[in-house]
Amino acid sequence: MQKVKRKASDEAPPSTKKKVKLNKADSVTSKNNEIKHSNKTEAGNFSKENTNKKALDKKKFKDKINMKIKGASIYKDKNVKTPSSQDVSEKPKWSEMKKQKKELRLVRRKAKATTSVFEMSHKARLLAAQIQRKVVKQDFREKACKELHGLLKGQYKQIALTHDLSRVIQVLLKYSDLDIRNEITHELLEIMEQMSKDDNVKTLGDAYKGSPEMRGAILSACKANIQRILDKNLHDSELLHSVLYDFIRECGPEDRAELITTLSSLIVPLSNSLPGVNAASICVWQGTNKDKKTILKVVKEHVKPLSTHKTGYRLLLAIFDSVDDTVLVKKTIVSVLANNLKDVAKDHWGKMTLHWLVKPNDTAAFHPNFIKFLKDGAKSGTSKKDSDIRISELRDGIISSILEDIQTDAEFWLKDPTIALLTMAVLSIQTTTEALKSISKAICRPDWRLENNKNILAVEDAGMHMCLKKIALLDKGRSGDTLGKAIIDNLNDETWQIISRLPALIRYGREFVMDPIEVIAIYEALEEESVNIGFIP
């Protein structure tokens, strides 16, 4: 039994346990391989899914962008339908879009204006562009100007107030012949006032009043234009003078100093207009000593014409008030006036010049606003000398010459009330016995008449009455020789010849300051002649 069992055991397949072990190992490896294969397939499937998802997301994002671009640019009009999903994916063509916008703009313009006006303006702008080209022959430019003028003739008043076609008119005024420019100006005369600066903008400062941030840019552009005009020696225009006066008041200290240096040599032509002479006065007040010497050097050759000019005399008055070197002023200006006294005094503005030298700030001869203008200007300037000292030093150079001329020809200095005011100003500052005698002789002359009113005697003229009264008032408080005594001396010679006009002289006798004994002597002389003098003061 045991042997059989052994055989059976011997005949059984060897190492069954090993085979089982091998089979288990094989199953494990096969399972591992299956797991690995399944993982690979799953990973591959997962990466494919991710790739497809990213592509889809990217496409959707592009589609959204294209939709927004097209919707914002092309499909603004409510009447245009939104595009389909197929159209959105296409890229926009910018050239076509710009072309469409241009066409729409032209359509809108045509809708606003008639077809003829639109075509005319379009053609006019093209011609103006050709005329402005630098590389253009003169013959072609003249022909184009004539064609453009023919196109716009009769319509200048309508198009001058538009923005685009007004520049076309400027091109014609710049490049066309004189005849065409005259025709354009003739058409535009009726609307010149409407074409000029805004009612709220009357000075340069008003231009940026509402926008202070534009001040620097406006002043810079104005300075460049002024310099360009001055470089071309076009300094006689009153419009330029007005802009200069505005600019020199509004600009900063550096620009003002630079402009004053430039204008010092142009001070005489600048004084031909009121805004120009105001700008010139600022140059005198605020200029350096070097600038003032340059101005005096230029003025020296034009003293007499300036003193008799309606605005030029203001420049001389500004010099009298602000130049500290009185010796130089007397040498260059005052001496010239003293050598031409009568020629200067004949003129109204010349009398004003002499009057300011003798008695500045006199309200009897100058308007208070004008006095204030000169006072404020002198205070804002660079002068350091005391004004009273300057006035007395300049006065000494002229008053003695006037007194000498009064002694020799008093009738000239009393020939009309305006020059009599100057004589009164001189006598209120300084007088001499000879001057008073000469004046009394002129007053007592039987046939003394004024140049501007020869129908009546001079003492019967209302203006001369007032002047004689004021001259007589100067005797008050004065010791020594007086005008009253000088008149009494002249009455003794030919009393009967002046009786008929003496009452007119004494009619204002309440303020005619004489010694009472002198007045009584006059009346006694008149009573001897049995003359009724009427009003007795």
Side-chain angles (χ1 to χ4, degrees):
M1 289 293 293
Q2 292 180 352
K3 291 182 180 178
V4 174
K5 288 182 180 178
R6 286 179 182 176
K7 283 184 179 179
S9 61
D10 293 335
E11 291 177 358
S15 65
T16 53
K17 293 182 179 179
K18 290 184 180 179
K19 288 183 179 179
V20 173
K21 290 181 180 178
L22 289 172
N23 291 333
K24 287 183 180 179
D26 292 338
S27 63
V28 170
T29 54
S30 63
K31 285 182 181 179
N32 289 335
N33 292 332
E34 289 177 0
I35 291 169
K36 287 181 181 180
H37 181 70
S38 63
N39 288 337
K40 285 182 180 180
T41 54
E42 288 178 1
N45 294 331
F46 182 73
S47 61
K48 286 181 181 180
E49 287 178 2
N50 286 342
T51 305
N52 295 333
K53 189 176 181 181
K54 288 181 180 179
L56 287 172
D57 292 340
K58 191 173 183 182
K59 186 178 180 182
K60 287 181 181 179
F61 182 70
K62 286 184 178 179
D63 292 344
K64 286 182 180 180
I65 290 175
N66 292 333
M67 176 70 78
K68 288 182 178 179
I69 292 172
K70 287 197 172 185
S73 59
I74 300 175
Y75 301 101
K76 285 185 179 178
D77 193 351
K78 293 181 180 179
N79 297 324
V80 180
K81 296 181 179 179
T82 56
S84 62
S85 58
Q86 294 178 355
D87 297 332
V88 170
S89 60
E90 296 178 0
K91 292 184 179 179
K93 296 182 180 179
W94 297 108
S95 59
E96 293 182 1
M97 291 170 58
K98 290 182 179 178
K99 189 176 180 181
Q100 289 176 2
K101 285 184 178 180
K102 190 173 181 181
E103 290 175 356
L104 287 173
R105 198 182 305 120
L106 293 174
V107 169
R108 285 195 296 269
R109 286 187 180 179
K110 285 183 179 180
K112 289 181 180 179
T114 61
T115 306
S116 59
V117 174
F118 175 79
E119 292 177 355
M120 181 270 293
S121 62
H122 183 65
K123 187 176 180 181
R125 287 195 296 271
L126 290 177
L127 284 171
Q130 292 177 359
I131 292 170
Q132 290 183 93
R133 292 179 61 191
K134 293 182 179 180
V135 189
V136 173
K137 292 183 179 179
Q138 187 63 26
D139 296 340
F140 176 81
R141 179 172 285 166
E142 291 177 359
K143 185 178 178 181
C145 286
K146 290 180 181 178
E147 184 180 354
L148 182 56
H149 176 60
L151 186 65
L152 302 178
K153 191 174 182 180
Q155 304 182 57
Y156 285 110
K157 287 192 290 186
Q158 288 78 17
I159 65 176
L161 301 177
T162 62
H163 176 70
D164 50 354
L165 291 180
S166 62
R167 301 194 180 275
V168 175
I169 300 177
Q170 294 174 9
V171 171
L172 274 178
L173 290 173
K174 183 176 181 180
Y175 293 104
S176 60
D177 296 335
L178 181 61
D179 296 337
I180 295 177
R181 295 201 300 269
N182 289 337
E183 290 182 13
I184 296 173
T185 305
H186 184 71
E187 278 196 43
L188 296 177
L189 281 177
E190 296 180 6
I191 60 169
M192 282 292 184
E193 184 177 356
Q194 187 179 358
M195 290 170 59
S196 58
K197 292 176 180 178
D198 189 351
D199 292 338
N200 297 324
V201 180
K202 296 182 178 179
T203 62
L204 184 61
D206 295 336
Y208 51 82
K209 193 173 183 180
S211 303
E213 68 277 2
M214 295 297 294
R215 181 179 183 273
I218 291 174
L219 290 179
S220 179
C222 184
K223 178 185 176 182
N225 290 329
I226 288 173
Q227 191 61 50
R228 191 179 297 113
I229 294 172
L230 293 177
D231 291 341
K232 295 180 179 180
N233 293 325
L234 303 174
H235 42 67
D236 292 331
S237 171
E238 188 169 351
L239 177 60
L240 172 63
H241 296 173
S242 181
V243 175
L244 273 173
Y245 181 47
D246 285 346
F247 179 78
I248 203 170
R249 288 183 299 168
E250 298 290 336
C251 66
E254 294 181 1
D255 289 337
R256 186 181 295 112
E258 182 181 350
L259 186 61
I260 288 173
T261 303
T262 304
L263 296 178
S264 296
S265 58
L266 305 172
I267 207 76
V268 173
L270 198 62
S271 303
N272 290 331
S273 66
L274 183 58
V277 77
N278 289 340
S281 299
I282 293 176
C283 293
V284 175
W285 292 326
Q286 301 189 17
T288 62
N289 290 333
K290 184 179 180 181
D291 295 329
K292 292 177 181 180
K293 287 181 179 180
T294 303
I295 290 171
L296 286 175
K297 185 178 179 180
V298 174
V299 167
K300 183 179 180 180
E301 300 177 358
H302 305 275
V303 172
K304 188 177 175 182
L306 282 172
S307 65
T308 57
H309 192 271
K310 63 180 181 179
T311 57
Y313 83 100
R314 289 173 171 241
L315 175 63
L316 300 182
L317 270 54
I319 292 174
F320 298 154
D321 281 355
S322 59
V323 178
D324 292 340
D325 192 351
T326 54
V327 175
L328 183 59
V329 175
K330 286 162 65 173
K331 183 179 179 181
T332 56
I333 298 177
V334 179
S335 62
V336 178
L337 296 175
N339 294 331
N340 298 274
L341 269 180
K342 287 186 177 178
D343 292 336
V344 175
K346 284 178 184 177
D347 184 79
H348 172 71
W349 311 112
K351 287 193 286 283
M352 303 288 275
T353 306
L354 294 174
H355 199 122
W356 192 271
L357 264 177
V358 173
K359 194 175 183 180
N361 306 318
D362 187 3
T363 54
F366 301 96
H367 195 278
N369 289 340
F370 180 58
I371 295 173
K372 184 177 183 301
F373 172 75
L374 291 175
K375 275 186 175 181
D376 293 343
K379 288 179 182 178
S380 67
T382 57
S383 178
K384 297 180 181 179
K385 200 168 191 175
D386 185 72
S387 59
D388 293 334
I389 296 175
R390 186 190 303 104
I391 289 169
S392 62
E393 289 176 353
L394 294 178
R395 183 190 290 150
D396 292 342
I398 194 69
I399 196 167
S400 57
S401 301
I402 296 177
L403 284 172
E404 289 177 5
D405 208 78
I406 289 174
Q407 293 174 17
T408 57
D409 191 3
E411 289 187 13
F412 173 83
W413 296 95
L414 293 172
K415 69 176 184 175
D416 61 64
T418 57
I419 199 170
L421 281 176
L422 174 59
T423 304
M424 181 183 68
V426 173
L427 296 176
S428 67
I429 302 297
Q430 185 177 338
T431 186
T432 61
T433 304
E434 292 77 10
L436 293 175
K437 287 181 179 179
S438 180
I439 290 172
S440 63
K441 287 180 182 178
I443 293 173
C444 296
R445 193 163 61 83
D447 58 346
W448 180 41
R449 299 177 187 272
L450 301 179
E451 289 186 359
N452 58 354
N453 190 4
K454 294 187 177 181
N455 296 326
I456 60 175
L457 295 171
V459 291
E460 296 174 347
D461 181 78
M464 187 55 67
H465 267 153
M466 187 65 65
C467 291
L468 291 175
K469 181 183 76 169
K470 290 182 177 181
I471 291 174
L473 283 171
L474 297 176
D475 287 346
K476 188 176 182 179
R478 180 176 286 169
S479 59
D481 296 328
T482 61
L483 181 63
K485 289 182 180 179
I487 290 176
I488 292 295
D489 293 340
N490 283 284
L491 286 177
N492 293 334
D493 296 331
E494 298 176 347
T495 304
W496 62 274
Q497 293 182 3
I498 62 166
I499 287 174
S500 60
R501 51 195 181 87
L502 194 57
L505 177 62
I506 302 178
R507 192 167 287 122
Y508 293 96
R510 289 183 184 277
E511 297 181 11
F512 197 96
V513 183
M514 287 186 185
D515 189 275
I517 298 175
E518 296 173 354
V519 176
I520 292 171
I522 293 175
Y523 281 107
E524 288 177 352
L526 295 174
E527 287 174 358
E528 290 178 1
E529 300 293 335
S530 300
V531 176
N532 182 13
I533 62 172
F535 177 79
I536 299 178

